Amino acid sequence: MKFRKSKDEEPTAPGQVAIRKKSKVPGVMITQFVEELPAGKSLPDFTRKPIALTIQEGKLAFFKAIITGDPTPTVKWTRNNGEISLTNYCVTCDPSIREHQLQIPNVAVEQADTYKCIAENEYGRAVVTATLNVIETQREQSIDFTKSLKTRTDRPRAERKDGEVDERFWELLLSADKKDYEHICAEYGVTDFRWMLKKLNEKKREIEEQQAQYVEYLGNLRHIEIKNNGCAQFEFEMDLKDPNAKIYLYKDGEMVPFSIDSDEKHSLRQMGRKFMFTVNGLSPDDAGLYQVDVEGVNVFSTDFKIPMVDFLVKIEEVKAVEREDAVFECVLSAPLPKISWMGKSVPLAQGEKYDITVSEDMLIHRLVVKDCMKVDNGIYAAVVGIKSCNAWLIVEADNDPKNHGKKAARKTTQAGGSGANVMKIAAEQQAKLQKAKEEKMEALKQQQAEKPEEAPATKVEPQAEPEPLAEPERLAESEPLAEPKPLTQPKPKLKAKPKPKPKCKPVAEGVVEEPEVEEIAPEPENNDGSEQTVLEPPSEEGGERKKRVRTGPLVPDSIIDSGVHFTGGLQDVRAIMGQSAEMVCKLSSADCDGVWYKDGKEITSTDDLKITKDGAIHKLMICNCKEEDNGKYRFEADGRKSEAILIVEDPPRMDPDDLAKFSEPVIIKVGQNASFKLSFVGQEPIKVQWYSEGEELLNDTNIKIEKSSSHSSLRLTKCQRKNTGEIKLKLKNEYGTIEAFSKLIVLDKPTNPLGPVEVIEASSSCVEFKWRPPKDDGGSPVSHYNLERQQLGRNTWKKIGNIPAEAHYKDTDVDHGRKYCYRIRAISAEGTSDVYETDDIQAGTKAYPGPPSTPRVVSAFKDCINLTWTPPANTGGTNIVGYNLEKRKRGSSLWSQANPPEEPIKAKQYGVKDVVEGIEYEFRVSAINHSGAGEPSSPSEFVIARDPKKPPGKVSDLKVSDSTYSSLSLSWTKPKEEEGVQDEAKGYFVELRPAENIEWTRCNSNPIITTSYTILGLKSMAMYWVRVVATNEGGEGEPKNLDNYIIAMPPPVRPNFTDRKMKSFMVVRSGNSARVTINFEASPVPTIIWLKDGMPVPKRVTMSNTDGTSQLLIPSAERSDTGIYTIIVKNMVGQETFSTEIRVTDDPKPPGAVELEQNVPGTLTVSWMPSPDEKRDDRLHYMVAKCDSVKQTWHTVAHCVFNNNFTAVNIMPGREYNFRVYAKNDMGLSEPSESLTWGVVRKKEKFTVNMPEPKTCNFDSAPTFTVPLKTHTSPEKYECYMSCAVKGNPIPHVTWYRNNISLNTNINYYITNTCGVCSLLILSVGPKDNGEYKVVAENSLGRTECSTQLTIRE
């Protein structure tokens, strides 16, 4: 085959004056036609550009582009060499998604070219190009491709052109490991590895040159793979020359947006030079070729493939006993050689602990967890691509008493696994896959038969030097459901030459083994599917060998008849002794017979062995399996064989009749013996265990267990009622477990009845009560109860006799007011229970009713007062028969009955007529039942006997006198009195309604007589409506509302700072704390904002706000904290601001070397190197001092020098001068930097003075307290100030402690240290401040401390 590569040339637009713009998509050129783009308009651009295509001749090719722009651009397609006509091209557009396509059906070689897509509107134009490469179909007579792989001597050495293979092939190779080259070449049909390596090296050099523009280092490439958390990742290490270079991600040539947010679909995470791309929420659409570009240059490519497979059978929960093996099995819908297994979210690998296997058909995958222990409990999962299934492994403790206190022996049994069910499903799926494959091959045969015969095959010389080749047979088997694809180059087939006598090797279960082959020779094929015979050199035996050569177009696994083979092999079978077992296999042909073997010996049909054939299915039936039937069975047909093992198991078994008899309950009486016995058969040893209610029984005084090889018995002596329950026999051997169940019922007398009794009625005529039945009826139902009665005060019991089994009795033979006690016994067929004695029950107890409600005055007149009330809640157990109503005058202590004594009031209302006009009365009422009159109610309100009054009018002058955040004070003027219209007000009700509600609520339940009221419990800043209602005996007047709603808040106050002297500048030593406290007043509560240099303060700065105070604290100030701090106090009334400058500095460092220079006689120029703090402190300046040899004293000659030189005047000749330069800032002076001596000393006679050698003074000292702390006692909520003095050199570091807890960073304490005076201020002390306070001073020479006690008075 030959490739034709198109030319890539871009014509220019003559006379076009334009502004070049850069697109977000690499490779797109944008030209702007106007100087400024109008608002809301945009240039044409590509969000998806066409990608280069390499396609086979005759196929459908199309370019796809998505274009944006406002106004909508017009789109035009062109090509470099030729025109685009509607006869050979199809242009489509989807306006809804702005997608444009250029389709080329039945693409021809002549259409290979560079195609250009042009999008243009009135403001600009966007252009992008894409290359179409067409693979020309081979028309000349093909050669023997298999022979050509052996040697390169006769191969045409024509140089291959660029672009002959899909560009994806090269992109994958550039990022792949060398071990993956063969696999990628096989996938893309490339067999000339030497040419491939040469071409790959050229491309690597090209891409490295391009990458060198942007990338300094690229390595550690890791291709995409699926991770445990359900996402896919690929990563690499890269150093960029420009950290701001743009990185792009493409999938199948289309740009994919990504972000640094790990929750997005595509995300990028960068850690140093490591780049990690993640694809979350995987789906089949995520498969494809992923590429990473830096500024349009490809740096990494990886192909992501998701296997299209699912689970037909998922793994299931497994329960295993300790030291057993646990098995998880699953069945896939398509064959895969390997899947991933996870155990408790950790990948598992083949080893001593885990055994991972796969069946021959690659459908059944199995995980065996060996020697299970408790630590192996957890969730295990099988993962295939984006599919997974999981299940629990539960490891139970070994309850074998023989293993208590020692390690149990390793068990040979396995728990879990679905066995034959999994095998059956896998066999059915394999049959479906094989059928689909056969149908596909048949369809390919028909296609081959319909094609006309090509020219006869030519003879090809044999060649040497075989090169690596792909494995098409294996590839075809791994994807039996894929659509057939024509290969770009022919691939050889392998043909096996069998030995005269093939020997078979033993294989694992269900494996079909092919005969051994002696020699493998490649079988050549031709392009048209026909075959030709080629002569080969004579063999060693003499004569010529003929070989068939294929001469047609090659298709995958082209129609090679493999002869008779197994479509379903034998599977291992487990059978129970005495039952039947069946072994089945299936051949690809129904016309072939075979032979059965057992342990290598041929077998034929007998009474117990039945061999049958049903078409292509061959069966071997073993009836009445015995131990000698164990062994390996093999079926051979046409040189093929399949083997499997028959395992005859002998688990414990029981005779059904004996089991039915054993299951019948055993019923005995207390003190008798119970026996259980059951026979069984099975392979020894058999473990026998007896259980009662789930608890294992062991030999004991009353328990006798007998065991033998054929039966076991259990004898329970002197049984008690508690022995009643389920009896279980458990038999277990290496082949299985069986259980048998029975029931033991021990009969006894019932237990005594249960109390307490519930009294239903206790009146003067009867006593009725009930009780609870016995807790245990002894195995027989209660038939009767026996009762006795004793009257309190007597010694004899009266027999009442037996009553029915209902736990209820009504005694009518009672005397009023007497107390009775009863004895109750339960009677059943097994005897009489113990006695239950009740508490005393009184007959006819007198119970008076409770008081009714307070009488309410309905209306009052001068000759009658009407009242009403409600009955009492406690009636005394009997009905209410009437009421007595009493009255009393104000000031009197005597109550008189209002109704006649012999005529109780039947109704719950009454009109009292025996009243005197103008007199005030109060009333009370008492209820009467059969026991008599009860307690009277509380008295009613006083009411005057007079005709009704008129309700009062509205109050006037209602206003708010004061308000807070939780209360509101009101005042008003009483309404005017108008005779006949409105009477005098006797009280007032205040009503409140929140703005969001529609119902009014009364704030006072009883009328108030004052004309002011304070409402409490309001919600801060909430809106309320308020009104006042006047009332008197005639009723309530009309309410008076406030004119507007009110807000629960104090009267509005504009923010105002209350401190008269607030510091606008403060200097803080670096490392000390800085604190700014601002006091203010404002209403409502203001919003407080702190700013530093107009920006929000850093997080390390803490702010605390209280009522009327705001504080800013820098715990440990640094130079970067220097700035202007502004507080803004704002509420609805207004705002107020205040700024203070905080300068954080430290003792200045001395200047550098000082130099002296005399440029003018009588003057000296002093210059020095700047202090290291000069750049960090803009307030740093210098001070210069001078000393001459005459005066011998230092005096300052310059202050506030802000440069690094100074000119000293009045320099006298003949004198020596020295200068000192100090650095000075807000903290003080630095150490001086001294110059060399300047001046010429006159020569005089030498005068020598012997001075004693001066002693050096060392002022260093450990810290000591010169003034210690004093004991403090302070009232609660007052300020407390503590101070002490400390000295030492170097200056000691001071730390305050309360109860051994450091306070230096606590914002509730104001701590200062000025020249050794250490102070601590507590603004408002409370009980929490009680305790011991300690000051610790330490420097490099030592440490000292001083403590005191603070006591808070209440």
Side-chain angles (χ1 to χ4, degrees):
M1 293 186 182
K2 295 188 298 183
F3 291 79
R4 289 189 180 180
K5 184 176 180 182
S6 64
K7 299 177 182 179
D8 191 356
E9 297 178 359
E10 181 186 353
T12 59
Q16 183 70 259
V17 178
I19 303 172
R20 296 292 183 183
K21 294 290 184 179
K22 188 174 182 180
S23 172
K24 294 181 180 179
V25 179
V28 178
M29 296 178 293
I30 300 179
T31 305
Q32 183 173 322
F33 296 159
V34 294
E35 291 289 340
E36 292 185 3
L37 197 62
K41 303 300 180 180
S42 61
L43 298 174
D45 198 358
F46 288 81
T47 58
R48 173 175 178 174
K49 68 176 183 178
I51 59 173
L53 291 177
T54 300
I55 196 166
Q56 189 175 2
E57 181 183 4
K59 299 293 184 179
L60 169 65
F62 61 88
F63 293 107
K64 184 186 297 184
I66 298 179
I67 302 170
T68 60
D70 188 12
T72 303
T74 58
V75 179
K76 180 173 63 175
W77 295 86
T78 64
R79 56 179 290 191
N80 278 1
N81 303 319
E83 296 182 354
I84 295 180
S85 62
L86 296 179
T87 56
N88 297 327
Y89 299 87
C90 179
V91 179
T92 63
C93 173
D94 187 350
S96 60
I97 60 175
R98 301 182 178 181
E99 182 182 271
H100 299 262
Q101 286 191 17
L102 173 64
Q103 299 180 3
I104 312 173
N106 195 20
V107 65
V109 176
E110 297 78 20
Q111 292 173 311
D113 201 348
T114 298
Y115 288 80
K116 185 180 298 183
C117 182
I118 304 172
E120 185 174 348
N121 64 12
E122 58 184 287
Y123 302 111
R125 178 175 60 197
V127 180
V128 69
T129 60
T131 305
L132 173 63
N133 298 315
V134 181
I135 303 174
E136 184 179 1
T137 304
Q138 187 82 14
R139 291 183 173 83
E140 59 186 24
Q141 187 176 10
S142 61
I143 62 171
D144 188 347
F145 179 69
T146 307
K147 297 287 186 179
S148 68
L149 289 176
K150 293 186 177 182
T151 179
R152 301 172 58 90
T153 55
D154 297 328
R155 183 192 302 272
R157 298 190 179 274
E159 191 70 19
R160 298 185 185 229
K161 294 182 180 180
D162 234 339
E164 290 179 344
V165 183
D166 191 343
E167 285 299 321
R168 289 171 55 127
F169 170 74
W170 298 113
E171 290 170 355
L172 287 176
L173 283 181
L174 287 171
S175 302
D177 295 331
K178 291 184 179 180
K179 61 183 178 65
D180 297 325
Y181 284 0
E182 185 176 352
H183 168 71
I184 297 174
C185 289
E187 183 177 352
Y188 284 87
V190 175
T191 57
D192 193 341
F193 287 94
R194 294 181 184 174
W195 168 81
M196 179 273 295
L197 292 173
K198 177 182 177 182
K199 193 67 178 176
L200 180 61
N201 290 331
E202 294 176 1
K203 286 191 172 287
K204 280 186 177 180
R205 285 193 294 271
E206 293 176 7
I207 196 68
E208 286 172 359
E209 291 175 359
Q210 298 176 9
Q211 292 175 355
Q213 303 176 25
Y214 307 103
V215 180
E216 287 186 355
Y217 168 79
L218 181 66
N220 290 339
L221 309 178
R222 295 189 179 180
H223 288 269
I224 193 166
E225 59 182 7
I226 299 176
K227 299 296 183 180
N228 301 335
N229 55 1
C231 67
Q233 287 181 350
F234 64 89
E235 60 187 53
F236 53 88
E237 292 183 1
M238 178 174 63
D239 284 335
L240 296 174
K241 291 185 176 180
D242 180 9
N244 297 322
K246 294 186 177 180
I247 300 176
Y248 302 95
L249 176 65
Y250 294 89
K251 174 181 175 289
D252 294 333
E254 182 177 350
M255 181 182 291
V256 176
F258 62 88
S259 69
I260 59 173
D261 186 2
S262 58
D263 294 332
E264 295 293 332
K265 177 67 176 178
H266 300 88
S267 63
L268 167 63
R269 182 182 177 192
Q270 182 179 358
M271 296 171 290
R273 60 164 36 172
K274 184 177 181 181
F275 292 79
M276 180 186 297
F277 283 88
T278 304
V279 183
N280 294 308
L282 293 179
S283 66
D285 295 336
D286 293 322
L289 178 66
Y290 286 83
Q291 299 169 272
V292 179
D293 287 10
V294 176
E295 294 291 351
V297 176
N298 179 254
V299 295
F300 183 61
S301 300
T302 181
D303 197 10
F304 184 32
K305 295 183 178 179
I306 299 177
M308 303 304 294
V309 66
D310 203 349
F311 291 93
L312 296 180
V313 176
K314 299 182 179 180
I315 60 174
E316 298 177 351
E317 180 182 298
V318 177
K319 292 185 178 180
V321 181
E322 280 186 305
R323 308 228 66 186
E324 265 190 333
D325 292 348
V327 180
F328 293 98
E329 287 181 328
C330 61
V331 180
L332 305 182
S333 61
L336 273 184
K338 182 181 178 181
I339 67 172
S340 300
W341 290 94
M342 307 288 293
K344 295 184 280 190
S345 301
V346 177
L348 306 181
Q350 177 74 30
E352 295 181 359
K353 182 63 179 177
Y354 303 103
D355 188 13
I356 298 175
T357 58
V358 59
S359 63
E360 181 191 13
D361 55 14
M362 292 185 287
L363 293 177
I364 304 176
H365 292 257
R366 182 180 290 109
L367 168 67
V368 179
V369 183
K370 303 176 185 176
D371 194 11
C372 290
M373 305 300 289
K374 278 287 188 180
V375 295
D376 296 322
N377 269 319
I379 297 177
Y380 289 74
V383 182
V384 183
I386 59 176
K387 302 287 186 177
S388 65
C389 59
N390 55 64
W392 273 91
L393 169 59
I394 301 174
V395 181
E396 299 175 343
D398 189 356
N399 296 323
D400 191 345
K402 297 179 182 179
N403 297 330
H404 288 174
K406 59 181 181 180
K407 186 176 180 179
R410 171 79 184 276
K411 294 180 170 58
T412 59
T413 56
Q414 290 185 340
S418 303
N421 188 32
V422 169
M423 302 289 184
K424 180 180 178 182
I425 295 173
E428 293 174 354
Q429 182 65 14
Q430 178 64 19
K432 292 179 182 178
L433 297 176
Q434 183 65 27
K435 182 179 178 182
K437 183 177 178 181
E438 291 174 356
E439 291 175 353
K440 190 183 306 177
M441 293 179 66
E442 186 64 29
L444 291 174
K445 286 182 181 180
Q446 293 178 3
Q447 291 179 7
Q448 294 266 338
E450 292 172 358
K451 290 184 179 180
E453 293 291 334
E454 296 288 343
T458 59
K459 179 178 179 181
V460 181
E461 296 296 331
Q463 300 178 2
E465 293 186 15
E467 294 187 0
L469 57 141
E471 301 179 56
E473 290 183 359
R474 188 175 62 186
L475 293 174
E477 290 178 0
S478 64
E479 298 182 1
L481 297 178
E483 292 296 328
K485 298 180 181 178
L487 298 181
T488 58
Q489 299 197 23
K491 299 182 182 180
K493 296 290 178 180
L494 299 181
K495 185 174 181 180
K497 179 180 179 181
K499 291 184 179 181
K501 294 182 179 180
K503 296 181 179 179
C504 298
K505 295 181 180 179
V507 293
E509 63 169 281
V511 176
V512 179
E513 183 178 317
E514 303 290 347
E516 292 184 354
V517 296
E518 181 184 65
E519 180 184 3
I520 299 177
E523 179 184 348
E525 297 179 357
N526 287 331
N527 290 345
D528 61 354
S530 60
E531 297 182 351
Q532 64 177 351
T533 302
V534 179
L535 297 179
E536 293 191 354
S539 62
E540 295 178 0
E541 292 81 0
E544 292 184 342
R545 258 189 334 186
K546 292 186 178 181
K547 191 169 185 182
R548 296 192 305 172
V549 179
R550 189 174 303 278
T551 62
L554 188 66
V555 293
D557 279 346
S558 298
I559 351 164
I560 295 179
D561 189 1
S562 58
V564 176
H565 59 276
F566 285 90
T567 60
L570 296 177
Q571 305 288 338
D572 288 351
V573 177
R574 293 177 179 269
I576 297 177
M577 188 173 292
Q579 298 182 3
S580 299
E582 184 181 61
M583 307 192 87
V584 182
C585 63
K586 183 178 180 182
L587 297 176
S588 60
S589 174
D591 300 330
C592 183
D593 294 328
V595 181
W596 289 89
Y597 296 88
K598 177 182 181 294
D599 296 331
K601 298 180 181 180
E602 183 178 350
I603 56 177
T604 57
S605 290
T606 63
D607 292 340
D608 292 335
L609 289 175
K610 296 181 180 179
I611 298 174
T612 59
K613 176 177 178 294
D614 183 8
I617 299 176
H618 296 258
K619 295 183 181 180
L620 173 65
M621 176 72 74
I622 300 100
C623 303
N624 192 19
C625 290
K626 299 179 287 295
E627 187 175 356
E628 52 268 21
D629 291 328
N630 277 305
K632 183 180 292 185
Y633 290 79
R634 183 173 78 248
F635 181 76
E636 293 186 1
D638 195 20
R640 313 260 179 153
K641 67 178 181 179
S642 178
E643 292 184 350
I645 297 175
L646 172 62
I647 302 173
V648 179
E649 299 177 343
D650 190 10
R653 302 182 303 285
M654 304 172 184
D655 183 79
D657 295 336
D658 293 344
L659 184 61
K661 185 177 180 181
F662 178 82
S663 302
E664 296 176 358
V666 175
I667 303 175
I668 60 173
K669 293 190 176 184
V670 172
Q672 294 180 348
N673 301 333
S675 298
F676 298 88
K677 184 177 181 181
L678 188 60
S679 300
F680 52 82
V681 293
Q683 178 69 41
E684 294 185 4
I686 298 178
K687 184 178 180 180
V688 180
Q689 293 172 293
W690 288 88
Y691 295 87
S692 175
E693 287 295 315
E695 183 178 351
E696 185 175 0
L697 301 176
L698 302 175
N699 278 311
D700 201 355
T701 305
N702 297 326
I703 302 173
K704 303 295 181 184
I705 298 175
E706 295 181 0
K707 304 176 183 178
S708 70
S709 59
S710 60
H711 71 276
S712 179
S713 62
L714 170 67
R715 180 178 174 82
L716 303 176
T717 59
K718 298 181 180 179
C719 293
Q720 300 299 319
R721 174 65 180 165
K722 64 181 180 180
N723 297 127
T724 298
E726 181 186 73
I727 302 296
K728 181 176 72 174
L729 172 61
K730 182 178 180 181
L731 305 175
K732 182 178 180 181
N733 66 2
E734 61 177 318
Y735 297 111
T737 302
I738 191 172
E739 296 177 346
F741 298 89
S742 184
K743 190 172 184 180
L744 172 63
I745 300 175
V746 181
L747 302 177
D748 195 4
K749 66 178 182 180
T751 58
N752 57 287
L754 300 177
V757 296
E758 179 184 348
V759 178
I760 300 173
E761 183 180 356
S763 63
S764 59
S765 59
C766 72
V767 171
E768 185 177 4
F769 59 93
K770 63 180 179 179
W771 61 92
R772 291 187 296 157
K775 185 176 181 180
D776 182 12
D777 61 4
S780 297
V782 174
S783 58
H784 298 87
Y785 287 101
N786 181 267
L787 272 71
E788 295 178 315
R789 188 186 76 182
Q790 182 189 47
Q791 183 178 322
L792 192 66
R794 298 184 180 180
N795 296 327
T796 59
W797 288 85
K798 177 183 178 182
K799 293 185 178 180
I800 297 177
N802 293 340
I803 64 172
E806 185 180 0
H808 169 269
Y809 181 66
K810 183 176 182 180
D811 190 359
T812 56
D813 184 15
V814 294
D815 294 333
H816 181 65
R818 300 286 185 182
K819 293 185 178 180
Y820 297 93
C821 177
Y822 294 87
R823 286 178 177 172
I824 308 172
R825 296 179 178 87
I827 302 174
S828 71
E830 302 302 322
T832 303
S833 72
D834 296 334
V835 68
Y836 166 67
E837 192 168 322
T838 68
D839 295 331
D840 295 338
I841 304 174
Q842 186 173 356
T845 304
K846 289 189 177 182
Y848 296 97
S853 65
T854 301
R856 184 174 66 86
V857 178
V858 178
S859 59
F861 303 92
K862 63 182 179 181
D863 57 354
C864 179
I865 298 175
N866 296 311
L867 301 119
T868 185
W869 59 88
T870 57
N874 176 21
T875 62
T878 57
N879 295 329
I880 301 296
V881 296
Y883 299 93
N884 285 333
L885 183 66
E886 297 175 294
K887 65 179 180 180
R888 183 174 66 176
K889 298 179 182 178
R890 179 182 285 276
S892 174
S893 59
L894 298 177
W895 289 92
S896 60
Q897 191 165 333
N899 60 297
E902 65 279 359
E903 297 179 7
I905 302 170
K906 302 296 183 181
K908 293 182 282 297
Q909 59 186 12
Y910 190 72
V912 181
K913 298 182 179 179
D914 185 15
V915 293
V916 178
E917 184 179 1
I919 303 298
E920 283 188 272
Y921 295 92
E922 62 177 342
F923 300 89
R924 70 180 185 183
V925 65
S926 57
I928 305 172
N929 66 2
H930 295 293
S931 298
E935 291 289 328
S937 68
S938 55
S940 68
E941 298 176 357
F942 280 98
V943 57
I944 301 176
R946 63 184 178 188
D947 290 337
K949 284 190 172 185
K950 298 291 183 179
K954 287 184 180 181
V955 301
S956 59
D957 197 19
L958 176 62
K959 61 184 177 181
V960 177
S961 58
D962 191 16
S963 64
T964 66
Y965 288 115
S966 60
S967 65
L968 177 68
S969 298
L970 302 172
S971 64
W972 60 88
T973 303
K974 65 186 301 183
K976 295 180 179 180
E977 183 177 357
E978 297 180 12
E979 187 175 355
V981 179
Q982 53 190 37
D983 289 333
E984 180 185 6
K986 296 296 184 180
Y988 305 94
F989 290 104
V990 179
E991 296 182 345
L992 184 73
R993 177 172 71 85
E996 64 272 11
N997 291 350
I998 60 173
E999 295 183 358
W1000 291 88
T1001 303
R1002 283 198 171 171
C1003 303
N1004 53 316
S1005 57
N1006 295 320
I1008 58 174
I1009 59 176
T1010 60
T1011 57
S1012 63
Y1013 186 75
T1014 299
I1015 305 172
L1016 303 176
L1018 301 182
K1019 187 177 179 181
S1020 177
M1021 299 303 294
M1023 292 192 302
Y1024 296 94
W1025 293 93
V1026 181
R1027 68 183 184 184
V1028 176
V1029 181
T1031 183
N1032 62 11
E1033 295 85 350
E1036 296 178 357
E1038 293 185 16
K1040 172 65 176 180
N1041 292 55
L1042 279 175
D1043 295 336
N1044 204 347
Y1045 65 83
I1046 59 166
I1047 299 177
M1049 55 173 280
V1053 177
R1054 189 180 188 277
N1056 179 39
F1057 297 113
T1058 57
D1059 290 340
R1060 294 183 179 179
K1061 296 182 180 180
M1062 294 191 294
K1063 293 181 180 180
S1064 61
F1065 178 79
M1066 63 187 303
V1067 179
V1068 180
R1069 185 185 299 275
S1070 178
N1072 287 0
S1073 62
R1075 190 188 309 264
V1076 179
T1077 303
I1078 303 295
N1079 296 317
F1080 61 87
E1081 59 180 5
S1083 178
V1085 176
T1087 301
I1088 300 173
I1089 302 173
W1090 282 92
L1091 302 175
K1092 176 181 179 287
D1093 297 330
M1095 300 296 290
V1097 296
K1099 292 183 179 179
R1100 58 187 301 273
V1101 179
T1102 59
M1103 295 158 293
S1104 58
N1105 301 318
T1106 59
D1107 188 12
T1109 302
S1110 180
Q1111 186 181 84
L1112 178 139
L1113 174 66
I1114 307 175
S1116 180
E1118 300 174 356
R1119 288 182 182 267
S1120 60
D1121 295 322
T1122 298
I1124 297 176
Y1125 290 80
T1126 303
I1127 182 174
I1128 302 174
V1129 183
K1130 180 171 61 176
N1131 66 5
M1132 65 172 62
V1133 184
Q1135 75 174 35
E1136 191 70 27
T1137 62
F1138 175 75
S1139 298
T1140 181
E1141 182 179 357
I1142 298 178
R1143 181 170 295 277
V1144 181
T1145 184
D1146 209 340
D1147 291 332
K1149 295 181 181 178
V1154 180
E1155 297 180 356
L1156 303 177
E1157 184 180 1
Q1158 187 174 33
N1159 297 322
V1160 179
T1163 65
L1164 272 179
T1165 299
V1166 185
S1167 60
W1168 57 89
M1169 297 298 293
S1171 168
D1173 292 334
E1174 184 176 307
K1175 294 182 179 179
R1176 297 189 297 173
D1177 194 342
D1178 57 353
R1179 294 174 64 89
L1180 182 83
H1181 57 278
Y1182 300 96
M1183 186 178 73
V1184 182
K1186 181 182 74 173
C1187 176
D1188 60 31
S1189 57
V1190 175
K1191 293 183 180 180
Q1192 297 282 322
T1193 59
W1194 291 92
H1195 65 277
T1196 303
V1197 294
H1199 290 280
C1200 298
V1201 179
F1202 285 91
N1203 54 18
N1204 301 124
N1205 53 69
F1206 171 74
T1207 301
V1209 298
N1210 299 327
I1211 302 300
M1212 305 297 292
R1215 294 185 183 183
E1216 293 181 352
Y1217 290 91
N1218 291 86
F1219 290 87
R1220 289 179 178 172
V1221 181
Y1222 300 84
K1224 187 176 182 181
N1225 66 3
D1226 295 316
M1227 295 304 298
L1229 288 174
S1230 70
E1231 295 294 326
S1233 295
E1234 192 167 342
S1235 69
L1236 298 176
T1237 302
W1238 173 269
V1240 179
V1241 182
R1242 294 177 182 176
K1243 292 184 179 180
K1244 295 182 180 181
E1245 293 180 2
K1246 188 173 184 181
F1247 177 75
T1248 304
V1249 179
N1250 294 324
M1251 297 292 293
E1253 184 178 350
K1255 295 182 180 179
T1256 59
C1257 296
N1258 186 0
F1259 295 99
D1260 292 350
S1261 65
T1264 58
F1265 284 96
T1266 58
V1267 179
L1269 291 171
K1270 295 181 180 180
T1271 304
H1272 292 267
T1273 301
S1274 175
E1276 189 173 351
K1277 295 186 179 179
Y1278 277 65
E1279 286 187 356
C1280 179
Y1281 182 83
M1282 303 182 190
S1283 65
C1284 62
V1286 63
K1287 70 175 183 177
N1289 192 21
I1291 297 174
H1293 180 266
V1294 176
T1295 307
W1296 285 82
Y1297 294 89
R1298 182 178 72 83
N1299 297 334
N1300 295 324
I1301 298 175
S1302 175
L1303 304 178
N1304 278 31
T1305 59
N1306 194 324
I1307 63 175
N1308 297 317
Y1309 300 89
Y1310 182 57
I1311 299 172
T1312 60
N1313 181 6
T1314 306
C1315 299
V1317 178
C1318 309
S1319 62
L1320 179 142
L1321 175 63
I1322 308 174
L1323 296 177
S1324 178
V1325 299
K1328 60 182 177 58
D1329 297 313
N1330 266 315
E1332 181 189 31
Y1333 286 78
K1334 182 169 61 177
V1335 182
V1336 177
E1338 53 186 343
N1339 64 8
S1340 58
L1341 298 179
R1343 179 178 184 272
T1344 185
E1345 62 182 44
C1346 178
S1347 62
T1348 185
Q1349 192 74 23
L1350 173 60
T1351 305
I1352 309 301
R1353 296 200 310 268
E1354 296 182 357

